[in-house]
Amino acid sequence: MSPTPQPKPPHSQTNADTPDRGGGLSVVQYWAEQTLAPAGPQLWQTLMHKSACLSCAWGTGGQKGGFRNELDESMQRCMKSVESIMAELMPAVPPQFFETHSVAELQRLSSMAADRLGRLSVPMIWRAGRSHYERISWDEVYAIATAAFQKPPERIASYSSGRSSNEAAFLLQLLLRTLGSNNLADCSDLCHAPSTVGLKEVLGTSTSTVSLEGLKQADCVVLMGSNAPYNHPRLMNELIKLRDRGGSVIVINPIMEVGLVKFGSPAFPLKSLIPGSDISSHYLQPIPGSDVTLLTGIQKALLERNQMHWDFLKAHTEGWEAVVEQARSTSWEAIAQGCGVSQPEIEAAAAMIGNAKRVVFAWAMGITHHANSVDNVWNIVNTALMTGNLGKPGAGVMPIRGHSNVQGFGSMGVTVKLKQEIQQALEKLLGRSLNLPPGYHTRNLIAAAEAGQVDTLLALGGNLYSANPDTAQAKRALGNIDTIIYLATKPNPGHFHGLAKTNTIVIPVFNRFENPHKTTVESGNNFVRMNDPGQTHLKQADLIAEITFLTELAHRLLGDDPVDWRKLQDTRYVRQLIAKTIPGYEKIAALDDGGEEFTISGRILTQPQFKTPSGKAQMKLTPLPDLSLPDPSHFGAANGANGLVLALITARSYSQHNTVVYKEGDRYRGMPHRHCILLNPLDASRAGLAEHQRVTVRGEAGQLDGVEVIFGAVRPGAALMFYPEVNAIFHAKTDKRCGTPAYKRVPVWVERDSGARE
């Protein structure tokens, strides 16, 4: 089928300078600027260092070299990687800075301003009633931490981020569970937990079933709820190569992102960089949250085209009858109305999928940030199974994870839903039962803390305060915890707003390429990389390795029982324990003796054999969601004619990693700063709003005033604002099966801001 012509994103005359493609010469210009910066030599030294990329979980670097991936392909670095490295190469924040700037002053800093302060270099404490952070000795750090973790196990907890190592993750969960706590909240609870839960129930595995090598064999990719040009730029190279070999890319996203229409990759300077490469063969813009309905429509079209793989369904799946019947019996009218995509558009997508020989279904947080997120994942897998695109090379399902080692944390057992085989192995190691009370995932942790049920929290990286919906609630909750210990490389707003009731300690740690010992990480495609030791550029800094802190704390709490905790400060011994306890990680034991980096066994599915009790995939019936929005009175709007109710999508900007903002605006969406709302011009006209006008955006938890209207390629009925700033105004529904908030469908009221100048 020939590619469907792609419309250009609608930009007004005032946004005429907005690019019509992603990537391109601006990326090369950025690299050149950073190379010429004072930290340029350190940048290149770090890029060549044998350690994995700090940015996304797509993965590159390690022992094959800083620019190489698992297939030994060269030039595998992107602008996001450089941004994350340059942030870590900043000089230290002078210790006296925190002595001369009060917490009240620090709370006025934005995420970008906090990040640009520099690197943390000495341990600090904020004591209740004091106005400033102050330096603290290591003896007092350990004294406070030891006392804090001697509280009842149900009242201690951790929160973690995915930039740390497998070894630190393993030790974190081992310490908490040895103390009797299962309260292992993680940043994945706020992003890809629906993928983990959904895939595990259907396929018996919870990660991508496709390797990088397998992706290269696909002739069709269905990319759902992802803005890969922003967040996973190296994936774009694979999509460009797929299109070059005659394959198709179906993009499903309520926003038409320019980089998903056309992208100029520096990896292909002649054919792609300047002219740009076509990415999407077919672009669908559904109503936010309607993915189950859209997928049901694709299934219905496949059924009507007689492109169901009946033999595969009967031989390798269970529960398929109900799923097929839902597709058959749901009317086209209900489907088109429910997802906002016409029948012909859906049929065109189905034809591409049905005619392809090997299809990869990939998705990011546009799928997982919904109240029915697990259903979304289930119906993606249903579609893959209906077309026979699971359990064969070049086909499968591929969640695209964000943080560079967020998947590794889950593999190491940093989760409230520990796999049975890991629990049994840990019980053997520890010599005790781990049938612990159910633990708190991230949203439950906030609720428990708000209720006064948490005494101690250890935060291994991340920004728990900013990452949560309803930041006022997060601040109250964290303020009810007696002791919070943050381990971090740089300051962030969570260190200034997420203050404990009694003691808040911030501990400066080495980053990945500075660590004094070898560590490992896991990519989103199940490849394990080893990071060489390194040195920090910071002079006279009092940094500590996360592993050193965790093992020393464990020793002070537990002595040598049930393991020799101080011995585990040598990470080779941690890897020996990982090899004995984590399924698929057996090869990690040989890494220190010349072993090769490896793909975790049992996860890449090239045969239709699934890790379920029956050996068959368990297809799940997914109800079509009710996507009705509240009326204006729900937001206290007296006159509905003066504004409109929209489904707000919260998103990152172009130069942003999780909650860390590197640049103020987003040139690809034409948004010059972070206090903007992206509206479809038709919606704006309906409410009598002009571009650049200031509006009030009201959610269920608060409102933002003076927000600038920017016209863009978001579908009618939806809007976009930047995370984490907009988190302040909404509570967010959660999918109870995984605890993940619905950041991509937030009901809001938008009206003219009468108090602001236009």
Side-chain angles (χ1 to χ4, degrees):
M1 175 175 288
S2 60
T4 302
Q6 295 303 310
K8 293 183 178 181
H11 293 297
S12 69
Q13 292 299 313
T14 53
N15 281 338
D17 60 341
T18 302
D20 62 355
R21 70 201 65 186
L25 289 175
S26 62
V27 176
V28 177
Q29 180 183 359
Y30 174 82
W31 276 73
E33 291 171 352
Q34 302 311 309
T35 297
L36 297 174
Q42 291 175 309
L43 167 65
W44 282 100
Q45 183 180 6
T46 304
L47 285 167
M48 300 304 294
H49 187 258
K50 291 186 176 180
S51 58
C53 175
L54 281 175
S55 189
C56 76
W58 189 246
T60 192
Q63 295 304 293
K64 294 182 183 296
F67 277 85
R68 294 187 174 272
N69 63 17
E70 54 263 49
L71 298 182
D72 210 25
E73 296 173 314
S74 61
M75 301 305 293
Q76 299 296 311
R77 288 279 192 172
C78 68
M79 179 174 164
K80 299 287 286 189
S81 178
V82 175
E83 282 181 329
S84 61
I85 291 173
M86 290 301 290
E88 296 291 339
L89 291 178
M90 289 188 294
V93 186
Q96 61 270 24
F97 176 86
F98 294 103
E99 298 171 3
T100 57
H101 291 78
S102 69
V103 168
E105 291 177 90
L106 297 172
Q107 288 176 344
R108 293 196 288 269
L109 296 176
S110 66
S111 171
M112 187 171 73
D115 186 73
R116 288 188 176 178
L117 291 177
R119 287 284 301 277
L120 295 166
S121 61
V122 297
M124 305 183 302
I125 186 170
W126 177 82
R127 307 177 198 269
R130 302 287 180 88
S131 59
H132 291 70
Y133 269 101
E134 60 190 67
R135 188 165 182 173
I136 184 176
S137 70
W138 286 109
D139 285 341
E140 190 176 6
V141 166
Y142 284 117
I144 293 173
T146 302
F149 276 93
Q150 288 173 336
K151 299 293 179 69
E154 68 274 11
R155 298 184 66 86
I156 64 176
S158 68
Y159 174 77
S160 49
S161 157
R163 272 198 179 177
S164 191
S165 66
N166 287 330
E167 291 75 13
F170 183 84
L171 289 170
L172 177 66
Q173 65 85 26
L174 190 67
L175 171 58
L176 265 287
R177 290 198 167 98
T178 303
L179 293 173
S181 176
N182 197 35
N183 296 327
L184 287 146
D186 185 68
C187 65
S188 63
D189 300 332
L190 303 176
C191 58
H192 267 288
S195 303
T196 301
V197 171
L199 292 176
K200 181 66 175 179
E201 291 199 31
V202 177
L203 303 177
T205 184
S206 53
T207 64
S208 174
T209 69
V210 183
S211 64
L212 175 59
E213 184 178 16
L215 180 60
K216 292 177 180 295
Q217 300 173 52
D219 57 357
C220 178
V221 168
V222 181
L223 186 64
M224 302 185 66
S226 166
N227 190 12
Y230 282 33
N231 300 316
H232 308 88
R234 287 196 313 103
L235 173 58
M236 302 308 295
N237 292 341
E238 300 305 322
L239 300 182
I240 290 169
K241 287 184 281 189
L242 183 149
R243 289 297 307 272
D244 285 348
R245 61 179 182 264
S248 58
V249 177
I250 300 169
V251 176
I252 300 174
N253 194 321
I255 305 162
M256 186 167 287
E257 305 284 10
V258 293
L260 292 173
V261 176
K262 189 180 286 287
F263 188 83
S265 173
F268 312 107
L270 296 180
K271 70 177 183 181
S272 177
L273 179 61
I274 296 176
S277 298
D278 290 334
I279 302 300
S280 57
S281 310
H282 191 47
Y283 207 123
L284 304 179
Q285 289 184 265
I287 296 168
S290 68
D291 301 282
V292 163
T293 306
L294 176 59
L295 289 162
T296 300
I298 290 174
Q299 295 162 10
K300 185 177 184 69
L302 289 165
L303 187 63
E304 293 178 352
R305 291 174 57 86
N306 196 27
Q307 289 184 315
M308 288 284 183
H309 285 229
W310 299 109
D311 291 344
F312 184 92
L313 288 175
K314 294 172 183 177
H316 303 297
T317 74
E318 294 177 342
W320 61 268
E321 297 92 344
V323 179
V324 170
E325 179 54 32
Q326 175 172 274
R328 178 184 286 114
S329 61
T330 305
S331 70
W332 275 115
E333 181 182 8
I335 290 169
Q337 184 175 351
C339 70
V341 179
S342 70
Q343 179 179 343
E345 290 179 287
I346 296 172
E347 289 174 330
M352 289 182 177
I353 295 169
N355 293 336
K357 295 180 180 179
R358 295 171 297 276
V359 184
V360 171
F361 294 82
W363 67 92
M365 285 179 285
I367 288 296
T368 61
H369 278 169
H370 291 284
N372 66 334
S373 54
V374 172
D375 287 346
N376 286 341
V377 173
W378 281 345
N379 220 19
I380 292 172
V381 182
N382 287 342
T383 310
L385 291 166
M386 287 173 163
T387 53
N389 280 300
L390 261 165
K392 69 178 183 182
V397 292
M398 189 177 76
I400 308 171
R401 301 182 190 264
H403 266 312
S404 57
N405 195 37
V406 65
Q407 187 166 297
F409 268 69
S411 295
M412 295 300 105
V414 180
T415 171
V416 297
K417 296 182 178 180
L418 189 62
K419 294 178 181 178
Q420 188 63 33
E421 54 267 46
I422 299 178
Q423 178 176 327
Q424 292 172 351
L426 290 175
E427 288 177 335
K428 184 177 180 181
L429 172 67
L430 299 174
R432 65 188 66 180
S433 171
L434 290 181
N435 290 323
L436 304 174
Y440 299 136
H441 59 59
T442 301
R443 291 300 295 147
N444 283 349
L445 171 64
I446 293 296
E450 188 176 26
Q453 297 169 354
V454 180
D455 291 330
T456 304
L457 175 67
L458 174 65
L460 187 66
N463 183 352
L464 179 59
Y465 160 77
S466 294
N468 269 274
D470 192 350
T471 45
Q473 180 204 27
K475 189 168 187 171
R476 290 194 307 271
L478 295 170
N480 280 342
I481 300 174
D482 284 335
T483 302
I484 300 178
I485 302 169
Y486 294 108
L487 277 69
T489 63
K490 297 174 295 177
N492 66 55
H495 301 146
F496 312 139
H497 292 273
L499 300 174
K501 184 191 302 183
T502 305
N503 291 312
T504 306
I505 297 175
V506 180
I507 295 176
V509 296
F510 295 105
N511 63 40
R512 182 173 300 165
F513 52 81
E514 295 173 334
N515 259 314
H517 43 236
K518 292 183 177 181
T519 59
T520 61
V521 296
E522 175 186 325
S523 79
N525 289 91
N526 305 299
F527 190 76
V528 176
R529 292 180 170 83
M530 175 169 272
N531 310 301
D532 275 359
Q535 293 183 333
T536 182
H537 66 287
L538 301 175
K539 306 300 182 185
Q540 299 179 329
D542 200 3
L543 309 182
I544 194 170
E546 293 161 327
I547 288 163
T548 302
F549 177 78
L550 290 170
T551 51
E552 182 61 26
L553 176 60
H555 174 80
R556 293 179 183 229
L557 288 165
L558 298 162
D560 295 331
D561 179 38
V563 295
D564 187 339
W565 294 99
R566 280 182 169 163
K567 181 179 179 181
L568 295 178
Q569 291 185 4
D570 184 339
T571 57
R572 76 181 68 192
Y573 296 112
V574 183
R575 287 187 281 278
Q576 297 299 315
L577 295 185
I578 292 172
K580 294 177 181 178
T581 55
I582 306 300
Y585 261 83
E586 294 79 11
K587 291 182 179 179
I588 201 171
L591 277 181
D592 292 284
D593 299 317
E596 293 187 355
E597 296 167 319
F598 60 94
T599 296
I600 301 161
S601 63
R603 295 188 182 177
I604 305 301
L605 301 181
T606 57
Q607 297 293 327
Q609 299 166 353
F610 306 106
K611 293 183 178 181
T612 61
S614 66
K616 297 183 177 183
Q618 304 297 300
M619 294 179 68
K620 301 286 187 180
L621 188 63
T622 54
L624 273 57
D626 175 8
L627 298 178
S628 58
L629 291 168
D631 60 42
S633 63
H634 179 77
F635 303 97
N639 186 352
N642 293 332
L644 67 165
V645 178
L646 296 172
L648 180 70
I649 300 166
T650 77
R652 296 174 176 87
S653 64
Y654 175 61
S655 289
Q656 181 176 349
H657 180 87
N658 199 16
T659 63
V660 181
V661 177
Y662 297 130
K663 291 183 181 179
E664 180 71 14
D666 186 330
R667 63 189 294 265
Y668 287 105
R669 294 183 179 124
M671 302 172 78
H673 54 83
R674 301 190 65 78
H675 204 56
C676 298
I677 183 168
L678 195 72
L679 292 182
N680 185 290
L682 295 176
D683 285 327
S685 176
R686 184 160 55 93
L689 301 174
E691 189 167 26
H692 305 302
Q693 185 171 350
R694 300 289 171 160
V695 296
T696 291
V697 182
R698 191 178 307 159
E700 295 172 332
Q703 69 183 45
L704 293 173
D705 299 319
V707 177
E708 183 178 0
V709 171
I710 301 295
F711 288 171
V714 59
R715 69 155 292 124
L720 179 144
M721 291 182 71
F722 289 134
Y723 158 108
E725 292 88 345
V726 74
N727 288 10
I729 72 170
F730 63 88
H731 299 303
K733 294 180 179 178
T734 60
D735 189 323
K736 303 303 181 185
R737 295 163 292 188
C738 58
T740 302
Y743 293 103
K744 296 296 186 287
R745 187 176 176 82
V746 177
V748 296
W749 169 253
V750 180
E751 67 180 4
R752 180 190 299 268
D753 185 348
S754 58
R757 291 191 307 168
E758 296 181 12

